[in-house]
Amino acid sequence: MQREQKRDIKSMPLSQLEKELSDMGERPFRAKQIYRWMHVKLARGFDEMTDISKSLRERYRELYSYTCLEQVRMQESESDGTRKYLFRLPDGNLVESVWMRYRHGNSVCVSSQVGCRMGCRFCASTLDGLERNLLPSEMLDQVYAIQLSTGERVSNVVVMGTGEPLDNYDNLLTFLRMLTDGNGLNISQRNVTVSTCGLVPQMYRLADERLQITLALSLHAATDEKRRELMPVARRYSIGELMEACRYYFAQTGRRITFEYSLVGGVNDTDRDAEELSALAGPLGCHVNLIPVNPIEERNFVQSERARIRAFQNKLEKNKINGTIRREMGRDIDGACGQLRRRTMKAQEAPCSLQSIGGNDTC
Ligand code: SAH
């Protein structure tokens, strides 16, 4: 009960923390000192802030809650080293995040909500609906916990885990600003990607923020009819409206949109689909990410044959569309969005429950 009354100090941008502490009569350097502990040194609680007096730490503990995720599980792929983390939030909910090592640096895939209400047919994260939005601190802490766990700097962040980021707009924006703040982890905005199923009004809002992040649009079909079969959100916004929003985003930010296209065998993978997709991507100069659909047991979607995927990509290439086939990293570790979380929740409901391992109780 008390936790809910306390304000969440890790979700406060530096300017807010400065105001807050100066109103309390604190000395001017204090806010930066604490901000550094939280967002650069990645302290897991007030107790780690050793150059702050005990009595002051006690005072902060009384006033503020301090978000810190507890690692419940970690699975590492034997084939490519990708790691999937399952974290427990302070209220007991579970979220998953993924760590991937690329040649250009380490990337973390962050969840933005507990569950999701978008209902995309092929996605495991949405099967139980939306539980709640994540706070900025809870998104940041996925990155922090993983950086601490691997001991390696995270240079790229993709908001492509569970949840629809633009459905949690205000918290997402605070998260993005704090993640890329020079006083914090200082990740370059150009190394951050936000993926959306296409909430048009929020795409306009995001464009007006003029951030240098990449916006990825989960298109998955090039006609309204097909898109509506796969994604309920397509009943609300047409492809025409989406393309207009993409044009606006590019005009405002100078950043090209990426299209994400999950290839589902026999559903959206014909040459004709590739032609229609080219007609949308060409005028916008979009890059297309082709993702072989990751089958989930609750639905009977199947992956396209390898040869079909190649043929699809070739068609795009012929039309001068840049299309890459996403490497299926970590398929051996419940790779598809939301599968690790669901499996763990199911196991916990079962009589012989799967106990958490590797828990961290420092905060
Ligand atoms: N809500 C955001 C982020 C979701 S996950 C969005 O819709 O973009 C990131 C990407 O993975 C999205 O393109 C999503 O459609 C896709 N995805 C989800 N489940 C998938 C699956 N089982 N196989 C392939 N792609 C999937």
Side-chain angles (χ1 to χ4, degrees), residues 116 118 120 122-124 159-165 195-198 216-220 231 260-262 291-296 326 336-337 339:
C116 182
M118 296 298 133
C120 298
F122 43 79
C123 180
V159 189
M160 289 191 183
T162 295
E164 168 48 46
S195 177
T196 179
C197 64
L217 172 65
S218 297
L219 196 58
H220 303 320
M231 306 172 74
E260 291 182 86
Y261 196 96
S262 295
I291 319 166
V293 81
N294 204 338
I296 57 173
R326 167 115 36 105
C337 295
Q339 286 194 6

Side-chain angles (χ1 to χ4, degrees), residues 178-224:
M178 292 174 75
L179 183 73
T180 57
D181 179 0
N183 293 294
L185 220 48
N186 197 15
I187 292 181
S188 161
Q189 286 189 0
R190 287 171 176 263
N191 291 352
V192 176
T193 299
V194 170
S195 177
T196 179
C197 64
L199 300 182
V200 168
Q202 287 93 320
M203 287 168 72
Y204 280 99
R205 249 181 104 185
L206 188 65
D208 287 335
E209 315 273 355
R210 292 173 179 256
L211 300 177
Q212 284 300 295
I213 60 168
T214 299
L215 182 63
L217 172 65
S218 297
L219 196 58
H220 303 320
T223 64
D224 283 322

Side-chain angles (χ1 to χ4, degrees), residues 19-145:
K19 177 161 189 328
E20 182 96 10
L21 297 191
S22 107
D23 288 351
M24 275 163 58
E26 272 291 359
R27 283 178 287 172
F29 67 85
R30 188 70 75 202
K32 254 203 178 126
Q33 184 186 21
I34 294 179
Y35 198 86
R36 229 183 118 65
W37 271 115
M38 291 190 288
H39 303 290
V40 178
K41 299 189 199 169
L42 314 185
R44 297 183 55 87
F46 289 118
D47 277 345
E48 289 186 17
M49 303 183 183
T50 44
D51 55 4
I52 294 173
S53 75
K54 235 181 165 171
S55 57
L56 201 51
R57 281 186 255 153
E58 197 49 50
R59 180 150 176 237
Y60 292 145
R61 221 192 325 271
E62 275 163 21
L63 286 172
Y64 301 113
S65 63
Y66 194 103
T67 296
C68 190
L69 304 186
E70 178 196 339
Q71 184 179 314
V72 178
R73 292 186 71 184
M74 194 276 282
Q75 296 180 337
E76 184 164 341
S77 160
E78 283 178 16
S79 52
D80 56 32
T82 295
R83 290 181 174 195
K84 193 141 204 178
Y85 288 86
L86 188 70
F87 295 114
R88 185 175 291 114
L89 301 166
D91 66 357
N93 275 305
L94 299 174
V95 285
E96 51 179 88
S97 325
V98 184
W99 181 78
M100 290 155 287
R101 185 185 267 138
Y102 291 101
R103 251 166 301 156
H104 58 77
N106 297 320
S107 182
V108 168
C109 174
V110 168
S111 291
S112 55
Q113 296 180 312
V114 181
C116 182
R117 58 179 178 152
M118 296 298 133
C120 298
R121 300 281 300 150
F122 43 79
C123 180
S125 296
T126 198
L127 291 167
D128 296 320
L130 175 68
E131 181 65 34
R132 72 168 173 88
N133 283 329
L134 291 186
L135 298 167
S137 58
E138 292 168 332
M139 292 185 248
L140 287 168
D141 219 43
Q142 295 172 52
V143 181
Y144 298 174

Side-chain angles (χ1 to χ4, degrees), residues 287-302:
H287 182 94
V288 177
N289 245 332
L290 298 172
I291 319 166
V293 81
N294 204 338
I296 57 173
E297 62 197 31
E298 291 82 358
R299 304 269 188 262
N300 48 9
F301 291 123
V302 292

